[in-house]
């Protein structure tokens, strides 16, 4: 089993590395407006979009203008989606004649897709029309991801530029991210999914007679085209309720691999974009190294814990021993076609990033195995992370790490030649503060208010884990759930929607302000006295700071959820 | 260098005063300046009020435990106060030394008509002119406008040898409190009482005028941010515990909060800053602001004057090189004659060499109709007219011009000789007798011993050194080569110096320089760290942001090291403080939930005796570590001139990894004591 895990995980990370370098360099070219092979095809489209939108991409924006553009764009998109959900009953492409989505659920879903969270308090096939899925949800899958990439690029420009007032043009970055990066990859990869058996049609659901004679309704629709952007844009909102565990979303081990690669691709690639744009590829590799090590640590613990299984299931007679015929371990809530490793790997990948697609039910993991997805999100979705948000989140942590430890070299801390001073620290701390604020405070309301307690399906620490997981997932814009929680209630729909909005935009604003502040600074040349941020010491330091900040913030809460569950399980208690 | 002796760390008088002072600092208006400690004080107050309420209500459950928590919380604040008071006390001790010099003196003010009136020094105002005669104490900072006098500046520099102060030139500034020991000078007062250089310095070392420096502000923001995060953690823990059926009491939650927030660095932060100032004063350098000390750590480029810093102050005659057809003896004799009246060190060294190499004894030329020609900036020559011989020594082109005016010409081999000397780093002095050039004296710059190693250390620290010299590029290159300096600026003028600083700064670099003359003032003002020599002019002292009382040009290197040490100490204690929290969780969390979630007992990896003793031990450790680290905060982390990566690795291991491990040991040890004494 160990060999199986090592081969699969090793192959996966090797492929991620192989994809990320050329993709990263390609993205650097795209945002530097350099020539790419897609230009003949896309340049006319780009010009058309600018003309229609009245955009002058050469007019660079200050961070405030950039942030305002981003916020207006997101607000408009959110309103449109809300309207679409409410009106879908009167609109075309609705063969199942699905009615209007309830206001609180519509609000929740609009917030969810605008923030790249894709928290789904609904079942797709039973709630959303094809039009809503395609024109509403899939549209946001593209543009919310593109907005994330845009802000990462703006942040990189902050490091690169000197004495500059502007950090780029939001409309330019948004358009380029969509046209040059997301769309072409999606077109190619969607075809690969179709080849593997993922449907892509506008047909009504099929009613089939099963072998036993029962009638089954088989949902389908434009799945493949939605599926790939779900992963590539780290969105995670499934076409079907069962998400990537559904055989039409993720039929084979190969599609499973493709989907996982798509989740990591852009986040990993952006580290190299960063290295290339700052003119020192090793700076990008250092961040890539930090992310890879944190990823491997998580997936190792999760796989180990799941493979080890649940002693109480074993006692009840379940055979948890791995063999040629079965993967063994804790298979509750997992698909047989994926087994332990591909499930644990997928769970880690989807929570390292802000994707939140699932191919197994995290709720059914062993407590320790389920702690890893939770912890991944509590770290702040910076292990490759959400497209764009992973990189700018990691850069904020790097600023923090450099500040704390950088003083120890005897200089005012500096990162990539930029001095980290009061203003940068203020913005970085604001960014870091908002995250626990929007997790811990709403969660502490939910665990005492009857409306919150009503949603949990298991009492005791596991119920607590469900609530903690929900707010962590919403705040981190992940969207995966400990599925046991019944979150489609006005209380959860509204509080989670607000948490998603805060977790996205209240963090993006300080990130952009930080970019603006850095861009305005002069750059200090590197010397032997400069703290090197492209080597092993920095990698270790950054990992340490990330883990300690997350642990210090969330240890007490986790202790009352998954940790106590794990300890209790060993003593024969299960919640 | 007359280094001021460091006050012993735990000097009784200072400790005593600091203990008293730390009580005064409990005043919430003072605490409010430090958000971390303010939170602790509020927490201590809250727990105290709860205890009082419980007493009033007759609730005695856990009373002893809660009283101990409250006491240790107050101690935590007190210890932090004590650390700051200690640093300030040491600064005050330094300031008192400085202040002693400012005894009440009477001044002889010169009125408009030239009449002298006696007034108290405190009544002098900027612009007043005073007469200071032998035995008088100079009543205030000022500039000599007339006369020349020997001044004893021991009161501020600790150096007992008197220095010359005279009007004009670069030695015109005098400091209040110093004593004239011979002759007289007229001084124009340049600072009002209370605004003098000394007053400003006293304010700074006492901490009274201390403003937070930029890096301190940034660090305070980080600490405040962490404090807010931990407040959210503790606030949310109450409902989280309630969900599981555990009702947490306020003293326990507060204990957790205080243990988590970065009290160690929060309590020591201002002490570190004050101690950094104090260390500077111990090196006889007075900084005008804490900002300048911090900037010193960031310096990228050091501008060093060649003379006195890289080379010994004086050039020495090394060799006589006659041109073809002239005997060495003849050249030596002419050189000696030209130098007999030359009182400069170079001149004397020529006489010494002539005697040593050719046995030529010094002669008295007084009554033989000899006329000495002193050196002037115009002629760039000096010499003697004696029995029709017009003997001159001086700069090559000047002497050639002199010879040509007398109908002579430069010998063919002269150029090569001059160039050879210049290329080797020496200074050629051409000697001529009327129309005939006799040869060249090789004046050699003597590079200070150990300077090369020093530059290597600076390079390892990431600093670039640039030598500033008035020499020609050839000579400068040779000395730069010999001394190991990174770069040089030859034929430097105030304008080229200023331009060099601006160029470096345009590249984002921070520049430090040391200077004394009035013509250094613009460069000193432009430099990020400008150290003026105390012996220099008032203009230079006003322009710089530090003053070196010893007037020692090598001091700039110490200043940089002190700046770096200050930042390292801050970083080390911050890292240590944050790393400490890991162990505190393992102490407190299992103790908090021992009833609601007995399974969490597995997290009690230190095997602390009881929940109460676990929490109490963590709080006690948290308080005591502040006291334990006071010496480190005041002395600063030992600084080694290594590359950044090496320093970082070392400090991360000590203060990062150490910070994780130490509290596990400390809390366990305290727990053993607490349970042995049955305190909880």
């Amino acid at each position: 089993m160990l060999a199986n895990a090592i081969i699969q995980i090793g192959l996966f990370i090797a492929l991620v590395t192989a994809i990320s370098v050329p993709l990263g360099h390609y993205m650097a070219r795209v945002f530097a407006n350099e020539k790419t092979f897609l230009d003949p095809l896309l340049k006319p489209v780009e010009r058309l979009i600018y003309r229609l939108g009245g955009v002058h991409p050469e007019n660079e924006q200050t961070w405030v203008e950039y942030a305002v553009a981003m916020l207006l764009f997101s607000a408009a998109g959110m309103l449109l989606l809300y309207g679409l959900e409410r009106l879908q009953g009167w609109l075309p492409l609705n063969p199942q004649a699905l009615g209007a989505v309830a206001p609180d659920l519509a609000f929740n879903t609009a917030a969810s897709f605008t923030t790249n969270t894709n928290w789904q308090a609904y079942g797709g096939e039973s709630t959303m029309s094809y039009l809503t899925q395609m024109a509403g949800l899939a549209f946001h899958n593209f543009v919310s991801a593109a907005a994330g990439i845009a802000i990462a690029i703006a942040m990189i420009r902050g490091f690169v530029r000197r004495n500059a007032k502007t950090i780029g043009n939001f409309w330019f970055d948004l358009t380029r991210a969509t046209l040059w990066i997301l769309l072409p990859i999606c077109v190619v990869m969607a075809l690969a999914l179709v080849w593997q058996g993922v449907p892509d049609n506008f047909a009504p659901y099929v009613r089939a007679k099963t072998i036993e004679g029962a009638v089954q309704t088989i949902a389908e629709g434009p799945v493949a085209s939605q599926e790939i952007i779900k992963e590539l844009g780290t969105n995670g909102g499934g076409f079907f309720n069962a998400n990537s565990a559904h055989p039409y979303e993720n039929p084979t081990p190969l599609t499973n691999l493709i989907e996982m690669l798509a989740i990591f691709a852009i986040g990993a690639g952006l580290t190299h974009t960063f290295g290339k744009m700052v003119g020192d590829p090793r700076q990008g590799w250092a961040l890539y190294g930090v992310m890879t090590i944190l990823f491997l640590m998580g997936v190792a613990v999760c796989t180990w814990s799941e493979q080890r299984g649940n002693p109480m299931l074993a006692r009840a007679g379940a055979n948890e021993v791995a063999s040629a015929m079965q993967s063994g371990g804790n298979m509750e809530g997992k698909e047989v076609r994926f087994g332990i490793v591909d499930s644990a790997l997928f769970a880690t990948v989807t929570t390292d990033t802000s994707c939140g697609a699932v191919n197994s039910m995290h709720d059914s993991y062993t407590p320790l195995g389920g702690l890893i997805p939770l912890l991944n999100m509590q770290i702040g979705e910076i292990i490759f992370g959400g497209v764009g948000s992973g990189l700018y989140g990691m850069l904020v942590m790097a600023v923090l790490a450099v500040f704390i430890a950088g003083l120890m070299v005897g200089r005012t801390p500096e990162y990539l030649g930029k001095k980290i001073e009061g203003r940068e620290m203020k913005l970085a701390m604001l960014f870091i503060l908002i995250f626990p604020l929007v997790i811990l405070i709403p969660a502490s309301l939910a665990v005492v208010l009857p409306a919150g307690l009503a949603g949990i399906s298991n009492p005791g620490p596991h119920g607590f884990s469900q609530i903690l997981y929900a707010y962590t997932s919403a705040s981190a814009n992940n969207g995966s759930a400990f599925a046991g929680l019944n979150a489609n209630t006005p209380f959860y729909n509204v509080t989670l929607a607000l948490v998603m909005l805060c977790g996205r935009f209240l963090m993006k604003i300080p990130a952009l302000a930080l970019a603006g502040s850095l861009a305005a600074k002069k750059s200090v040349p590197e010397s032997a006295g400069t703290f090197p941020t492209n080597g092993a010491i920095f990698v270790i330091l950054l990992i340490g700071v990330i883990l300690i900040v997350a642990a210090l913030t969330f240890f007490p809460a986790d202790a009352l959820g998954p940790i106590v569950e794990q300890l209790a399980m060993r003593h024969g208690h299960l919640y | 260098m007359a280094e001021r002796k460091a006050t012993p760390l735990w000097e009784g008088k200072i400790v005593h005063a600091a203990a008293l002072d730390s009580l005064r600092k409990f005043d919430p208006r003072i605490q409010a300046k430090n958000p971390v400690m303010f939170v602790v004080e509020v927490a201590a107050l809250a727990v105290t009020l709860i205890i009082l309420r419980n007493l009033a209500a007759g609730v005695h459950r856990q009373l002893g435990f809660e009283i101990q928590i409250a006491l240790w919380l107050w101690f935590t604040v007190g210890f932090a106060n004590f650390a700051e008071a200690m640093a300030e006390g040491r600064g005050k001790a330094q300031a008192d030394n400085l202040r002693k010099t400012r005894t009440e003196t009477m001044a002889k003010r010169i009125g408009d008509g030239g009449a002298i009136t006696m007034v108290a020094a405190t009544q002098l105002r900027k612009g007043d002119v005073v007469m200071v005669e032998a035995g008088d104490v100079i009543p205030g900072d000022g500039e000599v406008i007339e006369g020349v006098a020997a001044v004893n500046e021991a009161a501020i520099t600790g150096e007992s040898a008197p220095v010359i102060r005279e009007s004009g030139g670069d030695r015109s500034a005098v400091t209040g409190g110093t004593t004239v020991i011979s002759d007289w000078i007229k001084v124009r007062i340049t600072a009002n009482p209370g605004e003098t250089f000394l007053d400003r310095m006293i304010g700074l070392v006492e901490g009274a005028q201390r403003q937070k420096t930029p890096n301190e502000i940034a660090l305070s923001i980080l600490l405040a941010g962490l404090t807010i995060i931990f407040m959210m953690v503790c606030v949310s823990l109450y409902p989280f515990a309630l969900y599981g059926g555990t009702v947490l009491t306020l003293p326990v939650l507060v204990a957790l909060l205080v243990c988590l927030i970065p009290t160690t660095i929060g309590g020591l932060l201002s002490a570190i800053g004050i101690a950094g100032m104090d260390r500077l004063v111990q090196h006889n350098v007075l900084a005008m602001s804490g900002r300048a000390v911090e900037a010193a750590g960031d310096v990228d480029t050091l501008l060093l004057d060649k003379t006195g810093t890289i080379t010994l102050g004086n050039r020495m005659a090394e060799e006589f090189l006659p041109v073809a057809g002239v005997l060495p003896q003849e050249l030596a004799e002419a050189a000696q004659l030209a130098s007999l009246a030359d009182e400069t060190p170079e001149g004397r060294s020529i006489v010494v060499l002539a005697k040593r190499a050719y046995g030529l004894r010094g002669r008295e030329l007084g009554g033989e109709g000899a006329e000495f020609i002193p050196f002037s900036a115009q002629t760039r020559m000096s010499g003697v007219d004696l029995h029709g011989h017009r003997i001159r020594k001086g700069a090559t082109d000047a002497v050639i011009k002199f010879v040509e005016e007398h109908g002579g010409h430069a010998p063919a081999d002269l150029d090569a000789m001059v160039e050879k000397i210049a290329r080797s780093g020496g200074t050629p002095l051409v000697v001529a007798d009327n129309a005939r050039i006799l040869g060249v004296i090789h004046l050699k710059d003597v590079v200070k011993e150990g300077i090369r190693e020093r530059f290597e250390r600076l390079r390892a620290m990431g600093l670039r050194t640039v030598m500033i010299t008035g020499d020609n590029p050839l000579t400068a290159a040779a000395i730069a080569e010999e001394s190991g300096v990174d770069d040089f600026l030859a034929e430097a003028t105030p304008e080229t110096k200023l331009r060099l600083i601006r160029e470096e700064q345009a590249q984002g670099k921070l520049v430090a320089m040391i200077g004394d003359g009035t013509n250094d003032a613009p460069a000193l003002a432009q430099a990020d760290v400008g150290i003026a020599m105390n012996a220099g002019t008032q203009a230079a002292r006003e322009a710089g942001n530090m003053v070196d009382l010893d007037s020692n040009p090598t001091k700039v290197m110490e200043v940089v090291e002190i700046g770096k040490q200050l930042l390292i100490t801050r970083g080390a204690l911050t890292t240590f403080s944050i790393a400490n929290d890991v162990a505190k969780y393992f102490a407190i969390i299992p103790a908090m939930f021992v009833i609601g979630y007995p399974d969490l007992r597995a997290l009690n990896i230190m095997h602390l005796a009881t929940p109460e003793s676990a929490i109490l031990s963590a709080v006690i450790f948290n308080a005591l570590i502040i006291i334990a680290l006071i010496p480190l905060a005041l002395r600063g982390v030992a600084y080694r001139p290594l590359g950044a990566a090496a320093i970082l690795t070392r400090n991360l291991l000590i203060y990062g990894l150490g910070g994780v491990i130490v509290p596990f040991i400390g809390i366990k040890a305290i727990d053993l004591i607490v349970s042995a004494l049955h305190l909880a």
Side-chain angles (χ1 to χ4, degrees), chain B residues 253-300:
Chain B
L253 266 178
V254 160
L256 175 65
L257 174 67
V258 171
C259 283
L260 292 180
I261 63 176
T263 48
T264 314
I265 178 66
L268 294 172
L269 187 57
S270 57
I272 295 170
I274 298 168
M277 277 290 206
D278 188 47
R279 271 198 298 281
L280 212 54
V281 176
Q282 280 166 28
H283 280 87
N284 268 344
V285 176
L286 307 186
M288 296 298 169
S289 70
R291 186 184 284 256
V293 187
E294 215 166 69
D298 283 352
V299 163
D300 300 281

Side-chain angles (χ1 to χ4, degrees), chain A residues 95-289:
Chain A
Q96 298 305 121
L98 296 166
V101 182
D104 60 314
L105 181 59
F107 170 58
N108 181 282
T109 307
S112 169
F113 279 76
T114 309
T115 56
N116 194 256
T117 312
N118 297 26
W119 171 267
Q120 291 172 293
Y122 61 89
E125 59 272 51
S126 55
T127 319
M128 301 295 172
S129 74
Y130 288 164
L131 183 74
T132 309
Q133 295 252 28
M134 289 173 63
L137 306 186
F139 168 75
H140 278 285
N141 282 352
F142 277 96
V143 295
S144 69
I149 297 174
I151 286 163
I153 297 297
M155 177 83 116
I156 299 174
R157 290 196 190 109
F159 282 104
V160 176
R161 294 184 177 186
R162 292 169 195 185
N163 308 320
K165 287 196 177 70
T166 58
I167 53 170
N169 180 304
F170 175 72
W171 308 111
F172 171 83
D173 292 341
L174 182 78
T175 310
R176 289 230 139 204
T178 311
L179 289 184
W180 264 263
I181 297 164
L182 298 172
L183 267 177
I185 302 178
C186 281
V187 169
V188 175
M189 299 315 280
L191 291 175
L193 292 183
V194 170
W195 160 60
Q196 282 291 304
V198 179
D200 202 70
N201 58 40
F202 289 130
Y205 300 166
V206 175
R207 288 171 62 82
K209 255 211 167 79
T210 61
I211 301 167
E212 291 91 24
V215 174
Q216 187 185 357
T217 305
I218 299 172
E220 47 184 353
V223 184
S225 53
Q226 315 271 310
E227 183 65 24
I228 190 64
I229 187 61
K230 176 186 98 178
E231 275 92 18
L232 188 69
T234 62
N235 295 288
F239 195 91
F240 304 114
N241 195 18
N243 210 298
S244 281
H246 194 291
Y248 276 0
E249 285 201 23
N250 189 5
T252 68
L254 185 60
T255 56
N256 198 55
L257 178 66
I258 291 172
E259 290 182 12
M260 289 192 297
L261 287 175
I263 295 173
F264 266 8
I266 292 178
L270 279 172
T271 61
H272 302 302
T273 308
F274 169 73
K276 193 169 165 75
M277 284 174 74
V278 301
D280 176 7
R282 290 185 52 192
Q283 298 284 357
W285 278 109
L287 297 187
Y288 185 85

Side-chain angles (χ1 to χ4, degrees), chain B residues 91-177:
Chain B
K92 275 202 187 82
Q94 297 276 11
D96 286 342
N97 281 338
L98 297 172
R99 199 179 275 129
K100 276 184 201 146
T101 64
R102 211 180 40 171
T103 44
E104 261 313 299
T105 46
M106 294 302 283
K108 297 167 184 162
R109 188 165 65 192
I110 303 175
D112 290 334
I116 290 177
T117 45
M118 296 293 284
V119 295
T122 47
Q123 289 176 0
L124 291 175
R125 290 292 175 272
K126 219 163 160 174
D128 285 351
V129 177
V130 294
M131 164 68 84
V132 192
E133 289 165 302
D136 289 350
V137 173
I138 296 173
D141 288 4
E143 192 152 18
V144 179
I145 53 172
E146 204 184 322
V148 68
V151 178
N152 181 350
E153 298 194 334
I156 52 165
T157 62
E159 183 69 63
S160 56
V163 291
I164 299 297
R165 291 286 176 260
E166 58 191 328
S167 61
D170 288 347
R171 312 222 165 265
S172 62
V174 288
T175 310

Side-chain angles (χ1 to χ4, degrees), chain A residues 290-311:
Chain A
V290 169
M291 293 173 171
T292 305
I293 292 169
L294 286 170
F295 157 71
L296 290 174
M297 284 161 67
V299 77
V301 173
C302 188
T303 310
W304 173 77
S305 180
E306 292 312 299
Q307 190 67 58
R308 192 158 161 248
N310 183 338

Side-chain angles (χ1 to χ4, degrees), chain A residues 408 411-412 460 525 531 552 571, chain B residues 243 298 300 507 585 599 648:
Chain A
M408 286 198 290
R411 285 176 72 95
T412 302
F531 170 21
L552 292 183
H571 296 135
Chain B
Y243 169 90
D298 283 352
D300 300 281
Q507 293 170 40
Y585 267 137
D599 292 308
L648 185 69

Side-chain angles (χ1 to χ4, degrees), chain A residues 400 407-408 410-412 419 425 433 437 444 456 460 464 523 525 527-531 537 552-553 556 567-568 571, chain B residues 215 218 221-222 229 232-233 239-240 243 297-298 300 461-462 507 509 564 567-568 572 581 585 599 644 647-649 651:
Chain A
L400 185 70
L407 274 175
M408 286 198 290
R411 285 176 72 95
T412 302
K419 278 211 159 83
M425 224 39 227
L433 267 177
L437 178 75
S444 56
I456 56 180
F464 177 72
S523 185
S527 77
T530 312
F531 170 21
I537 308 167
L552 292 183
T553 313
L567 295 169
H571 296 135
Chain B
N215 173 260
I221 292 167
L222 170 78
I229 291 181
M232 294 193 294
V233 168
F240 289 173
Y243 169 90
D298 283 352
D300 300 281
M461 287 155 59
Q507 293 170 40
K509 292 179 179 167
K564 287 196 178 291
L567 295 172
I568 292 176
D581 283 0
Y585 267 137
D599 292 308
I647 296 183
L648 185 69
T649 313
N651 287 337

Side-chain angles (χ1 to χ4, degrees), chain A residues 27-48:
Chain A
M27 288 193 282
R29 294 186 72 82
V30 168
F31 292 104
N33 208 359
E34 287 167 23
K35 225 171 128 57
T36 67
F37 68 100
L38 288 172
D39 285 2
L41 201 64
L42 296 175
K43 275 273 181 192
V45 186
E46 185 190 23
R47 274 195 294 273
L48 182 70

